[in-house]
Amino acid sequence: MFDWIPDSHFVTATTRSLVVMFSTIVFSVGVGLPLGTLAGLYQFRRKRFLLGILAIPLLMPSFLWAIGLSQFQELFTISGFSHSSGALGSVFVFSSLLIPLSIYTSMLGVKSVSPHQIDAFILAGSALWAFFQVLKRTAPITILISILAGIMTLSDPGPGLILGFPSAAAEILISFSALFDFDLARQQCFFIAGLSLFFFLPIMLFLGSHLSAVLLAQESSSIKLVENSTVQRYAAPTFIILLIIIIGIPLVGLFKPLWQGIDFNYALKTIQRTWLNTIFYSTNSGLLSTVFALTFVLFFGHYQKIRIAMLSFSLLFIILPSSFVALNVLELGASVSTSWDWLFRGRLLISAVLGLRFFPIATLLVLNRYASISPTWFEAAKISGVSKTKFYLQVLIPFLAPSLALSVLVISLLATAEIGTVLLLRPPGEDSFPLAIFTVMANASEIKVSSLCLIYFVISAVNLTVLWTIFGKKA
Amino acid sequence: MKKNNGLEVIQVCKKYADQTVLDNVSFSVKPEQHTVVLGESGCGKSTLLRVVAGLFAPNAGKITIDGNRVSSANQIIIQPHLRNIALVFQDLALWSNLTVLGNITLVLSAKKFSAVNVKKQAKDVLEMCGIISLANRKPSETSGGQQQRVALARAIVLQPKYLLLDEPFSGLDLVTKYDLMEEIVALADKKNITIILVTHDPFEATFFAKQALILSRGKIVESGLFKDLLAQSQNPIMLKFRSQLQKTNDLPAVND
Ligand SMILES: Nc1ncnc2c1ncn2[C@@H]1O[C@H](COP(=O)(O)OP(=O)(O)OP(=O)(O)O)[C@@H](O)[C@H]1O
Ligand SMILES: [Mg+2]
């Protein structure tokens, strides 16, 4: 297995993936860093609302965006799919995920610059100069996180497959779902996993303590958002244009076939068939992930070094291709005795694998709140003899509760959008809703696919709105 | 039982990584001999209180309370909650998700009182500290001075023999501060509590102190009766204190 050498076909596919990855990173940082710094630094009209909308692409499976884009291109009868349009399309789809991410990251980055420092910048020079000083300080973390997210595009087959620019991940998908050659798929996965690690490890070395410093940045000394008339005038329109491009275009394409009619019947039937599984997979992975994270934080949250190590290590689960993990789990399942079938042929396995995958995000959310606790809380408990159990149950866990709830919700939503793991590990017939869309998209009529997409979009949007009204006050 | 001979700190050293924060610190505090700890910012005052309370062990030296050894080098012999010590932290350390009452009852419940008893004792101490009306509020819904009272109530509710106060009055207005200080001293007299107070303020120091310690970079540079130090010491802190208090005394008398 280790001496497998990829054939030229797969090498070409990998090259495509790398080109898309690098272009996506450059483009996303180019757009996201200045906009994120702006949003972190300045107040402007409708900011909360616009930033909320921005999260939509993060909650949609990327293949839906790819379908949307390809149908949008048909609108203008852009002839066929040349190589370049497939490449550009892939970059576009991945960027619409990475741009929101890098905007959010640089907003966090701004929070970790001390407010006094920001005041000092503003007093010392022009507004533009101050802006660039802050931008310079938020750049490292934004670039690093964008690279991490960029690495994840290596294992996403959707856009390449749909837009006719088959990436390495698309080849892997073809290997196991069309050729049923699991060995080949696993070898290819190994190759991509190695490649991901090759990019990931040096980044982690750079990121190291940076990561916990910025990601766990506290907003205790809440920044007074700056008011600036120029920003007031142009920021909101800029964000609206961005949203129209990265969300509007794919959505128009996605829903275009609905002009000819909506197949509610079909959509309802699909939902009836899949909603229980969808909720089962996603909620359980949210719960599992959060329970892992809470356990970890309660045991090790106190130790700065373990925190950083654990956070970095857990990022591995997200970086490694989901199909890599799933294929290895399958292999493991095949090699153990049948008395383990309840686990390896059951639905809970999917939740566990997804839960593990999103563990770093859960850890981050919980740690972030945990880090705001003054060490004297523990000392005060110790000195008055409050037992550990009592302190955990009555003080610590209730204090962490909002972050636990947020973690369950966010991870359930992210897990819903994941199809690779479900595709490989689901017991026969136990599809999730997005997987159902994925499997019918090649054969069913456009109207049917679009009807399903509409439902998916509406449900995500409702979830997002709920999430945003409960937890979004901080932005 | 050994005799009640106060608190003794003997040649205590404490390091963080390779920084020596307490360097061979020795002193003793006799019962009811309220003591102030003075010293520049970062000289190790809070660390000293933590070592005395048993939140961590000294790297060298030992500590005895009423004749019982409670800490020795790298070893906690008697756990903090069994030392009869209470500590009001510099940042107060109120548990923000519990109510004022909840903060008190959690501490009380650690001592295995019956539930009825816990309620009653909590109410009593809140009454005494003048914050009974705030019982059901979260700490964040009370003012700075009220929070200080809550922290104090939580500290004294277990009836400690030693009350360690880490700059508990900073940020209070003068009137509130004096009221609170008078109440604490009265309480200490009534219940035989010995106070160790960390402060930067000459008036607070004068108000409480029978004895004073001056720390500088982790070492005790002077110690003795407060009024002696105030009269004779050439330590910069004491010189400043003296000139401050002098100025106040030079003010034209308003009364008497
Ligand atoms: N947990 C810690 N880890 C490492 N160093 C620490 C820690 N706590 C305190 N220190 C260091 O020990 C020294 C003494 O700190 P301490 O808090 O005891 O000072 P302090 O006299 O109470 O100062 P202040 O008047 O500002 O409260 C400082 O130099 C501080 O940086
Ligand atoms: Mg201190």
Side-chain angles (χ1 to χ4, degrees):
Chain A
M1 180 137 134
F2 291 97
D3 51 19
W4 176 77
I5 296 169
D7 58 10
S8 67
H9 186 65
F10 191 66
V11 169
T12 315
T14 307
T15 316
R16 285 191 205 116
S17 294
L18 289 176
V19 169
V20 168
M21 175 182 102
F22 282 117
S23 323
T24 305
I25 293 171
V26 170
F27 186 59
S28 306
V29 171
V31 176
L33 178 60
L35 284 182
T37 310
L38 190 85
L41 207 49
Y42 293 100
Q43 186 58 277
F44 53 84
R45 243 174 312 130
R46 302 237 170 273
K47 178 169 144 184
R48 224 169 77 78
F49 175 73
L50 294 171
L51 287 171
I53 303 271
L54 196 60
I56 289 177
L58 295 175
L59 300 179
M60 303 285 281
S62 61
F63 78 88
L64 288 188
W65 249 220
I67 298 177
L69 182 66
S70 81
Q71 292 182 163
F72 185 83
Q73 284 173 325
E74 285 163 19
L75 254 185
F76 296 94
T77 55
I78 295 169
S79 55
F81 280 115
S82 72
H83 246 49
S84 72
S85 82
L88 280 180
S90 299
V91 173
F92 175 89
V93 170
F94 286 131
S95 296
S96 53
L97 292 169
L98 256 71
I99 289 174
L101 192 68
S102 70
I103 288 180
Y104 291 142
T105 312
S106 40
M107 286 181 66
L108 266 181
V110 175
K111 279 184 178 152
S112 73
V113 181
S114 96
H116 305 298
Q117 221 176 345
I118 293 178
D119 284 346
F121 287 142
I122 290 169
L123 290 176
S126 70
L128 197 63
W129 180 81
F131 175 78
F132 277 107
Q133 291 306 312
V134 177
L135 184 136
K136 235 164 66 185
R137 281 160 183 77
T138 58
I141 185 74
T142 310
I143 294 172
L144 291 172
I145 293 291
S146 299
I147 296 178
L148 284 184
I151 299 174
M152 291 168 67
T153 65
L154 288 180
S155 43
D156 187 341
L161 207 61
I162 290 162
L163 296 169
F165 192 67
S167 57
E171 292 297 336
I172 296 174
L173 188 72
I174 292 168
S175 297
F176 69 68
S177 68
L179 309 175
F180 297 105
D181 188 343
F182 281 76
D183 274 334
L184 178 63
R186 208 166 20 246
Q187 283 157 344
Q188 291 171 332
C189 263
F190 231 99
F191 185 73
I192 294 302
L195 201 63
S196 305
L197 280 184
F198 173 79
F199 291 110
F200 172 70
L201 292 177
I203 297 293
M204 283 325 292
L205 283 184
F206 273 114
L207 213 54
S209 49
H210 239 311
L211 183 75
S212 81
V214 173
L215 294 185
L216 302 181
Q218 290 310 312
E219 306 129 63
S220 51
S221 45
S222 60
I223 297 182
K224 294 185 296 297
L225 290 165
V226 186
E227 308 261 348
N228 177 305
S229 59
T230 318
V231 173
Q232 277 284 0
R233 200 163 322 135
Y234 295 110
T238 311
F239 270 88
I240 291 171
I241 291 170
L242 176 74
L243 292 175
I244 288 176
I245 295 174
I246 67 171
I247 298 176
I249 288 181
L251 285 184
V252 168
L254 203 56
F255 299 145
K256 184 195 66 172
L258 297 179
W259 288 122
Q260 293 143 36
I262 302 180
D263 196 338
F264 269 125
N265 245 340
Y266 178 72
L268 274 180
K269 252 196 266 160
T270 311
I271 287 196
Q272 258 171 7
R273 182 165 64 85
T274 57
W275 74 275
L276 268 178
N277 282 327
T278 312
I279 291 180
F280 182 93
Y281 297 141
S282 59
T283 318
N284 281 325
S285 50
L287 287 172
L288 282 173
S289 216
T290 306
V291 169
F292 292 155
L294 177 67
T295 314
F296 161 69
V297 168
L298 289 185
F299 276 101
F300 300 114
H302 229 51
Y303 309 98
Q304 182 73 11
K305 285 204 176 112
I306 301 184
R307 252 192 225 179
I308 297 171
M310 191 66 191
L311 215 51
S312 319
F313 176 70
S314 62
L315 278 175
L316 259 182
F317 296 123
I318 268 202
I319 292 302
L320 289 176
S322 57
S323 45
F324 173 74
V325 178
L327 282 167
N328 280 304
V329 168
L330 270 185
E331 166 99 337
L332 185 69
S335 67
V336 297
S337 83
T338 48
S339 60
W340 284 94
D341 272 4
W342 61 270
L343 179 63
F344 286 101
R345 306 244 179 282
R347 294 185 302 169
L348 200 58
L349 182 68
I350 295 180
S351 304
V353 171
L354 285 175
L356 202 61
R357 181 166 172 76
F358 294 114
F359 172 66
I361 295 177
T363 310
L364 254 179
L365 290 172
V366 181
L367 255 186
N368 198 327
R369 181 132 176 109
Y370 184 90
S372 73
I373 295 174
S374 158
T376 56
W377 274 31
F378 298 89
E379 295 182 325
K382 208 169 158 193
I383 209 169
S384 45
V386 177
S387 70
K388 267 221 157 85
T389 331
K390 228 174 208 161
F391 181 66
Y392 280 4
L393 289 181
Q394 294 193 28
V395 180
L396 209 50
I397 294 178
F399 180 79
L400 293 176
S403 69
L404 299 177
L406 179 66
S407 164
V408 172
L409 286 172
V410 166
I411 289 170
S412 303
L413 286 178
L414 289 174
T416 312
E418 246 278 350
I419 50 166
T421 309
V422 184
L423 179 63
L424 277 164
L425 295 180
R426 93 210 115 125
E430 307 278 8
D431 284 2
S432 68
F433 185 53
L435 185 60
I437 306 180
F438 188 74
T439 38
V440 302
M441 81 188 167
N443 310 318
S445 71
E446 280 191 349
I447 293 183
K448 282 185 171 160
V449 175
S450 280
S451 307
L452 294 181
C453 292
L454 177 69
I455 304 282
Y456 189 93
F457 174 76
V458 169
I459 295 173
S460 300
V462 169
N463 283 331
L464 184 66
T465 315
V466 171
L467 206 68
W468 199 242
T469 23
I470 302 178
F471 293 100
K473 287 173 214 115
K474 278 197 279 178
Chain B
M1 279 301 282
K2 305 218 174 117
K3 60 188 186 305
N4 178 0
N5 57 357
L7 184 135
E8 266 190 291
V9 173
I10 301 157
Q11 298 181 333
V12 158
C13 297
K14 174 67 199 171
K15 286 181 181 172
Y16 284 121
D18 51 359
Q19 181 198 5
T20 302
V21 180
L22 294 177
D23 189 358
N24 212 9
V25 169
S26 299
F27 64 90
S28 61
V29 177
K30 299 247 157 51
E32 285 158 78
Q33 186 184 41
H34 301 327
T35 300
V36 289
V37 181
L38 307 167
E40 78 271 2
S41 203
C43 69
K45 304 179 298 291
S46 298
T47 308
L48 180 64
L49 294 193
R50 283 192 165 84
V51 175
V52 168
L55 290 171
F56 39 66
N59 296 110
K62 60 183 179 184
I63 296 169
T64 66
I65 293 179
D66 297 342
N68 300 312
R69 189 183 291 193
V70 293
S71 291
S72 56
N74 298 316
Q75 197 189 356
I76 300 283
I77 298 168
I78 293 185
Q79 289 299 319
H81 64 284
L82 303 174
R83 290 184 177 196
N84 267 329
I85 281 184
L87 173 54
V88 175
F89 290 86
Q90 201 164 357
D91 68 356
L92 305 182
L94 297 176
W95 299 308
S96 65
N97 59 310
L98 298 179
T99 59
V100 166
L101 185 65
N103 268 273
I104 313 283
T105 51
L106 182 58
V107 163
L108 278 172
S109 70
K111 283 274 146 106
K112 300 203 170 54
F113 297 116
S114 72
V116 182
N117 232 329
V118 164
K119 261 270 158 54
K120 185 179 173 326
Q121 291 195 45
K123 290 253 159 82
D124 285 351
V125 79
L126 288 178
E127 193 89 58
M128 185 162 75
C129 294
I131 43 175
I132 186 75
S133 59
L134 308 175
N136 294 319
R137 288 200 208 170
K138 294 276 169 72
S140 59
E141 297 159 355
T142 66
S143 76
Q146 291 166 338
Q147 289 177 19
Q148 266 147 332
R149 283 166 187 267
V150 178
L152 189 72
R154 194 179 66 179
I156 60 179
V157 73
L158 291 179
Q159 312 200 330
K161 282 168 86 173
Y162 297 91
L163 180 60
L164 315 185
L165 304 172
D166 198 347
E167 303 185 38
F169 307 113
S170 50
L172 287 190
D173 72 274
L174 217 55
V175 176
T176 312
K177 181 177 1 196
Y178 270 80
D179 284 352
L180 197 55
M181 281 173 19
E182 268 172 356
E183 286 160 29
I184 292 176
V185 168
L187 179 79
D189 288 346
K190 200 167 99 191
K191 306 244 163 165
N192 303 326
I193 298 174
T194 311
I195 292 170
I196 300 180
L197 171 77
V198 168
T199 181
H200 293 287
D201 181 306
F203 301 103
E204 288 177 23
T206 328
F207 197 94
F208 277 98
K210 303 210 169 80
Q211 180 183 235
L213 310 169
I214 304 177
L215 270 179
S216 178
R217 301 207 193 151
K219 282 188 166 57
I220 293 199
V221 288
E222 276 190 70
S223 64
L225 289 182
F226 182 73
K227 61 176 195 300
D228 294 349
L229 289 184
L230 196 58
Q232 296 148 15
S233 169
Q234 294 304 308
N235 183 286
I237 294 179
M238 278 302 170
L239 291 175
K240 284 269 153 44
F241 271 26
R242 201 179 304 153
S243 73
Q244 276 283 328
L245 295 169
Q246 202 82 53
K247 272 186 212 153
T248 332
N249 286 340
D250 287 349
L251 288 175
V254 183
N255 271 327
D256 60 42

